[in-house]
């Protein structure tokens, strides 16, 4: 009799575990699976390359990958803001200074929002994190639009930085989507 009740408890535990893992959005999601699932929105190679730079990614579940993507966005925004501030110090043309000042301001706001998003993701407040993503999601585009057109022969400033930032924030958005 003891053997049967022990076996029965084990069977129920096993069944519960299988059902939980099948229905949980928190099961391990490989980086490749995640990047395939968001490929309609974010370039697959960009997603893969970006997430693989973080040592937490290989063992992360979807919430973990959401946190990684927010953290990558934050690092990128901070680096871009630093680049903007350096360009601003050296800018002599009024229209470029004005554009860079606007970029500096909106990237500062994005950095604050991304820090709060990371805290919300860590607290598993995914819906609130996704809602907060409305603040930083268009910063790259707004910055690009704030800058004057490049003169012939010159390359416009911050093209790669704004593009990478936009892709990273969009990556955060689409990874958070199913969790919210």
């Amino acid at each position: 009799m003891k053997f049967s009740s022990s076996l029965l408890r084990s069977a129920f535990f096993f069944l519960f575990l299988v059902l939980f893992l099948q229905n949980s959005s928190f099961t391990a999601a490989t980086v490749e699976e995640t990047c395939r699932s968001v490929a309609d929105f974010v370039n697959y190679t960009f997603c893969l390359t970006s997430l693989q730079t973080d040592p937490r990614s290989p063992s992360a579940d979807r919430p973990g990958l959401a946190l990684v993507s927010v953290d990558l966005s934050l690092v990128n925004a901070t680096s871009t803001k630093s680049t903007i501030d350096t360009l601003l110090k050296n800018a002599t043309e009024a229209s470029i200074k004005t554009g860079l000042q606007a970029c500096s301001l909106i990237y500062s706001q994005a950095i604050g929002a991304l820090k709060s998003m990371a805290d919300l993701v860590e607290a598993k407040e995914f819906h609130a994190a996704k809602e907060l993503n409305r603040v930083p999601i268009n910063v790259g585009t707004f910055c690009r639009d704030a800058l004057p057109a490049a003169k012939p022969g010159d390359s416009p400033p911050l093209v790669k930085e704004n593009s990478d930032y936009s892709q990273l924030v969009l990556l955060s958005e689409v990874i958070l989507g199913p969790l919210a």
Side-chain angles (χ1 to χ4, degrees):
M1 192 73 168
K2 220 176 201 187
F3 174 74
S4 296
S5 76
S6 175
L7 184 61
L8 188 57
R9 273 186 291 192
S10 295
F12 277 124
F13 175 74
F14 178 74
L15 181 62
F16 170 77
L17 187 62
V18 167
L19 291 174
F20 176 76
L21 291 176
Q22 281 183 337
N23 294 320
S24 175
S25 62
F26 294 5
T27 57
T30 68
V31 172
E32 292 84 7
E33 288 169 345
T34 301
C35 289
R36 270 195 299 276
S37 76
V38 302
D40 288 343
F41 306 99
V42 178
N43 177 281
Y44 174 80
T45 303
F46 181 88
C47 174
L48 200 61
T49 304
S50 298
L51 291 177
Q52 287 176 338
T53 64
D54 192 293
R56 298 172 292 176
S57 293
S59 61
D61 55 7
R62 191 160 189 123
L65 291 175
L67 181 59
V68 167
S69 67
V70 172
D71 287 346
L72 290 171
S73 299
L74 178 57
V75 167
N76 179 279
T78 303
S79 173
T80 300
K81 169 111 173 42
S82 178
T83 300
I84 292 165
D85 291 343
T86 300
L87 290 171
L88 193 53
K89 286 178 188 171
N90 300 321
T92 55
E93 194 175 313
S95 63
I96 292 175
K97 270 189 169 183
T98 301
L100 290 170
Q101 287 169 338
C103 289
S104 181
L105 176 64
I106 59 178
Y107 269 100
S108 290
Q109 293 170 343
I111 290 167
L114 289 164
K115 286 177 181 178
S116 295
M117 278 180 66
D119 291 342
L120 289 167
V121 172
E122 284 180 349
K124 301 199 181 324
E125 297 288 339
F126 304 118
H127 181 73
K130 189 170 187 258
E131 288 298 312
L132 186 57
N133 200 34
R134 292 179 184 187
V135 174
I137 198 145
N138 292 312
V139 166
T141 303
F142 291 158
C143 178
R144 181 198 67 208
D145 293 347
L147 295 168
K151 294 177 182 172
D154 289 345
S155 58
L158 305 171
V159 171
K160 179 166 178 21
E161 291 89 342
N162 286 328
S163 176
D164 287 351
Y165 171 82
S166 295
Q167 286 281 302
L168 286 168
V169 174
L170 183 57
L171 179 61
S172 298
E173 175 80 12
V174 294
I175 291 176
L176 278 168
L179 300 171

